[in-house]
Amino acid sequence: MSGFAARHRCLRHRSMRVAALVAALACGASVAQPAALPTTVQNSALDAALFYEVLIGEIELKSGRPGNAFGVILDAARRRGDDALYERAIEIALQARAGDQALDAAKAWRAAKPQSVAAMRYQSQILLALNRFDEVAEPMAAWLAAVPVIEQPGLIAGLPRLLQRIPEPKRTLALIDKLVAPYLDGAGTRTASRVALGRAQAAAGEPALALALARSAHADDPEAPGPVLLALDLLPGTPAAEALVTAYLARPDAEPTVRLAYVRLLTQSQRYADASTQLERLTVDRPQLPEPWLTLGALRLELKQPREAEAALLRYIELAGEPPAAAVAAANAAAAAAQVTHDDDEDDDTAEARGPGGGRDLTQAWLLLAQAAEQRGDLPAAEAWLAKVDNPQRLLEVQTRRAAMLARQGKVSEARSMIQAVPERTGDDARAKLMAEAQLLRDVKRWRDAATVLAAASARFPDDVELVYEQAMVEEKLDHLPEMERLLRRVIALKPDHAHAHNALGYSLADRGLRLGEARELIRRALELSPGDPFITDSLGWVEFRLGNRDEALRLLRQAYASRPDTEIAAHLGEVLWASGQRDEARKVWQEARGRDAGNEVLRETLARLKVGL
């Protein structure tokens, strides 16, 4: 019986303020009064008449008559030709969510001051906020042409985000194409223009054209991160883009942010070995950056390397401000010499690593160190690390780890009670508790109990895709294959792009030698939905083996194993090597896998079936 169920586990202060006001106008939200400007000692340009005009306008505003206030201030701006008064009139209109009046003020400003960059900017932003996309090309083109040359690349690079309100990607593409055309061959704007146009091409469903622009921009400026970030955004759907990324990251001056973005993508694709390699390079190049050490520790735990994980995590703690010796002593693990769920969202990891005051919160590191100790079998050390966590928002995670250790000692009822006792503040908390309890039961192979918990969870949270998927995984373990297939097809119906449901169903059929053609189509569809996923690649290799295509099976399985040296993938690769007469290499692969996870069911079953002793 296969173990496939184990696979799823801008500008200045004032312009920035007005940008926020424009956003508020767009969404209809209430807007607070503008923040007070820094106090500086300046000679006032106000004469008595202007002073009283401004005063009257502000009194009208304070009295709840923004229309009157707008009229007074705009009239003063027109007569005086004063930029600050035009800007104030726009602010008043935006606060009152009077978009048309704000636009009238911006147009009046441009008519009075044709070279005013601020007036062009306001007009462009207000038109976008009002969804008047047909009118935005002229002021935006003028804005681009009027800004200082040194600012043009940044403004060009920001066009895709600035124009993201336009609902039709093809329309956005046409506008960006028109706006950047004068700058495609400019010495300082060539790269930014190609990247902006490439992003618009990608959003419009033209990844090949986007990649060609990324390559062209990279060739023009190999040091620039923009083309590489565009290539990253094209992955994994456009595999050919990866060569541009890796070529850039081979440079000694590669930006750490680009490498971290690549690591995030690799982890999302479960390419943990490749992600670890990139993090190891980053920790060599920039050893004083704390966050890469934290992520490296998490990845090493995924790869069943607890001692290496502990070294990385203790280094993170040292850089974050606590000496490793003190941390080890506090955890009662002076000789600490690893299962983790790595968060796919890197921004969340970074946020969690910082406390409310901006200092680093070591909670994540302590939780990972507890899992590392647990992986090594040192349960007292694991408990000591957990005892350091004083974060109510992580209580369920802490109690789940404690429960897992109890379950390993045979105290399953006590472990379940520990999870059940965690307070519930929201429905999400209740769902998370049920999922944690079910996973606990799966870990100790209490399949029927897990099925009961998941059935209750699904009744409470109907049509929850992940709950249905988990039910299917448990039904497979109970050998209830028709029920497993029914549940997986329900997942696909609820969420047609659920790659793992396609993969699980296809792999289950392939592993039993059933409907192999259908199995291959299901797995291929899964790989389309999640390109590069090593577990899905492994499944495709396995079905090719079942179909008798050994060479293709070997190619796919080697690719999967290189990306993720997982024990189950190793079991499959070894079996295909064995069947192909490459028995020395098969033994080597199996021995490596057994060294990482000797208790893996699939590996043990494979060796027993083939009567292989290592």
Side-chain angles (χ1 to χ4, degrees):
M1 178 67 64
S2 162
F4 84 95
R7 297 159 177 264
H8 67 290
R9 295 252 202 253
C10 79
L11 301 170
R12 295 173 8 241
H13 171 81
R14 184 178 287 256
S15 64
M16 291 175 66
R17 185 175 75 241
V18 173
L21 292 169
V22 171
L25 170 65
C27 64
S30 60
V31 179
Q33 292 289 332
L37 293 174
T39 56
T40 56
V41 178
Q42 294 180 344
N43 291 327
S44 174
L46 290 174
D47 56 22
L50 180 57
F51 172 81
Y52 283 111
E53 283 182 288
V54 173
L55 180 61
I56 291 168
E58 296 297 335
I59 291 173
E60 290 290 317
L61 181 63
K62 189 73 172 178
S63 301
R65 294 183 289 273
N68 292 348
F70 170 80
V72 171
I73 298 297
L74 181 58
D75 183 60
R78 283 182 168 133
R79 287 189 289 103
R80 300 285 181 153
D82 188 283
D83 289 340
L85 290 174
Y86 279 114
E87 192 169 12
R88 182 59 180 148
I90 292 172
E91 288 179 344
I92 291 170
L94 290 173
Q95 289 176 49
R97 296 195 289 277
D100 289 336
Q101 286 184 322
L103 182 60
D104 289 342
K107 288 179 176 179
W109 189 359
R110 277 198 70 192
K113 299 284 191 75
Q115 302 307 312
S116 170
V117 173
M120 299 169 191
R121 181 178 68 246
Y122 279 121
Q123 185 179 356
S124 301
Q125 293 172 332
I126 294 167
L127 284 168
L128 288 169
L130 294 172
N131 298 327
R132 292 167 65 168
F133 307 126
D134 291 333
E135 303 172 43
V136 79
E138 184 277 326
M140 289 200 73
W143 179 14
L144 266 172
V147 296
V149 172
I150 196 171
E151 295 179 15
Q152 282 179 337
L155 182 53
I156 291 169
L159 286 176
R161 181 178 294 274
L162 189 62
L163 299 175
Q164 64 186 352
R165 286 184 55 84
I166 301 177
E168 303 92 347
K170 294 287 187 183
R171 190 175 182 183
T172 306
L173 171 60
L175 179 54
I176 291 179
D177 193 11
K178 179 178 180 179
L179 290 171
V180 305
Y183 307 97
L184 282 169
D185 296 317
T189 57
R190 185 164 46 222
T191 299
S193 297
R194 282 163 170 74
V195 172
L197 190 54
R199 292 193 177 281
Q201 292 281 14
E206 298 289 351
L209 295 176
L211 179 56
L213 285 161
R215 286 171 171 161
S216 174
H218 179 66
D220 283 339
D221 188 357
E223 298 180 10
V228 189
L229 292 170
L230 170 56
L232 274 171
D233 287 346
L234 295 172
L235 292 171
T238 309
E242 191 162 11
L244 190 157
V245 177
T246 54
Y248 171 82
L249 292 176
R251 300 176 56 91
D253 58 348
E255 287 286 340
T257 51
V258 177
R259 198 178 300 277
L260 286 171
Y262 186 41
V263 166
R264 177 182 180 180
L265 184 143
L266 291 171
T267 55
Q268 288 172 341
S269 299
Q270 299 190 54
R271 294 171 56 184
Y272 295 144
D274 295 336
S276 290
T277 299
Q278 292 296 326
L279 282 168
E280 286 162 3
R281 170 71 182 271
L282 183 54
T283 57
V284 170
D285 292 347
R286 305 289 181 94
Q288 298 306 311
L289 289 177
E291 277 71 23
W293 292 101
L294 179 66
T295 307
L296 181 58
L299 288 174
R300 284 174 170 170
L301 284 174
E302 284 285 355
L303 295 170
K304 307 295 184 183
Q305 299 170 349
R307 296 187 186 278
E308 292 86 348
E310 285 176 327
L313 293 166
L314 290 171
R315 177 61 176 156
Y316 168 76
I317 288 175
E318 179 184 23
L319 292 171
E322 182 176 348
V328 173
N332 193 28
Q339 164 160 356
V340 58
T341 301
H342 176 69
D343 292 328
D344 285 337
D345 191 328
E346 186 176 65
D347 294 336
D348 288 347
D349 284 347
T350 303
E352 285 182 352
R354 299 186 181 277
R360 286 185 175 83
D361 175 7
L362 301 179
T363 295
Q364 184 70 11
W366 293 330
L367 289 167
L368 296 175
L369 282 163
Q371 295 180 32
E374 185 183 347
Q375 247 183 44
R376 290 189 294 103
D378 189 346
L379 301 187
E383 174 54 42
W385 286 116
L386 291 174
K388 292 174 68 66
V389 179
D390 185 19
N391 185 338
Q393 294 181 339
R394 307 299 289 271
L395 178 60
L396 177 59
E397 191 172 352
V398 172
Q399 295 300 79
T400 299
R401 298 286 0 130
R402 288 183 170 132
M405 291 188 287
L406 284 173
R408 287 180 60 181
Q409 301 170 60
K411 302 175 182 179
V412 179
S413 296
E414 187 177 342
R416 295 180 69 178
S417 296
M418 182 174 287
I419 293 174
Q420 292 167 358
V422 175
E424 298 175 15
R425 293 168 297 179
T426 66
D428 287 342
D429 291 341
R431 178 188 179 279
K433 284 173 58 178
L434 290 165
M435 291 283 279
E437 185 178 357
Q439 184 61 53
L440 173 80
L441 293 165
R442 291 180 57 186
D443 289 344
V444 295
K445 299 179 174 51
R446 298 271 290 265
W447 309 115
R448 294 189 183 281
D449 289 340
T452 300
V453 170
L454 287 168
S458 289
R460 185 171 176 181
F461 302 98
D463 293 336
D464 185 302
V465 170
E466 293 310 312
L467 283 173
V468 179
Y469 180 74
E470 295 292 336
Q471 277 187 283
M473 299 299 95
V474 172
E475 295 298 335
E476 186 270 342
K477 285 296 185 181
L478 291 168
D479 211 26
H480 298 165
L481 302 185
E483 181 62 8
M484 177 207 70
E485 181 169 349
R486 184 189 70 81
L487 290 168
L488 287 175
R489 293 198 182 279
R490 184 178 171 208
V491 171
I492 293 170
L494 290 169
K495 194 174 189 299
D497 61 348
H498 197 295
H500 294 296
H502 286 85
N503 180 57
L505 181 53
Y507 180 85
S508 178
L509 294 172
D511 199 45
R512 293 167 174 81
L514 303 173
R515 293 149 43 199
L516 294 178
E518 180 185 353
R520 178 160 59 181
E521 291 308 309
L522 283 162
I523 297 168
R524 283 177 171 171
R525 176 56 180 156
L527 206 53
E528 289 175 4
L529 293 167
S530 185
D533 187 305
F535 285 122
I536 302 176
T537 304
D538 167 66
S539 298
L540 188 56
W542 195 237
V543 75
E544 293 292 352
F545 176 58
R546 293 293 198 184
L547 286 164
N549 303 323
R550 290 183 183 176
D551 290 344
E552 179 64 4
L554 272 178
R555 183 188 72 81
L556 290 164
L557 290 167
R558 288 186 192 279
Q559 176 184 328
Y561 191 60
S563 238
R564 176 77 184 267
D566 175 81
T567 306
E568 183 175 338
I569 298 175
H572 293 155
L573 176 57
E575 181 164 348
V576 179
L577 287 167
W578 188 268
S580 303
Q582 302 177 53
R583 299 199 167 186
D584 289 342
E585 185 179 354
R587 288 181 182 276
K588 180 181 178 182
V589 169
W590 284 330
Q591 286 167 347
E592 290 174 352
R594 190 175 66 174
R596 287 191 299 271
D597 187 5
N600 182 271
E601 291 181 6
V602 178
L603 179 60
R604 293 171 64 181
E605 184 275 332
T606 300
L607 296 175
R609 176 166 43 80
L610 297 177
K611 298 181 173 60
V612 178
L614 299 180

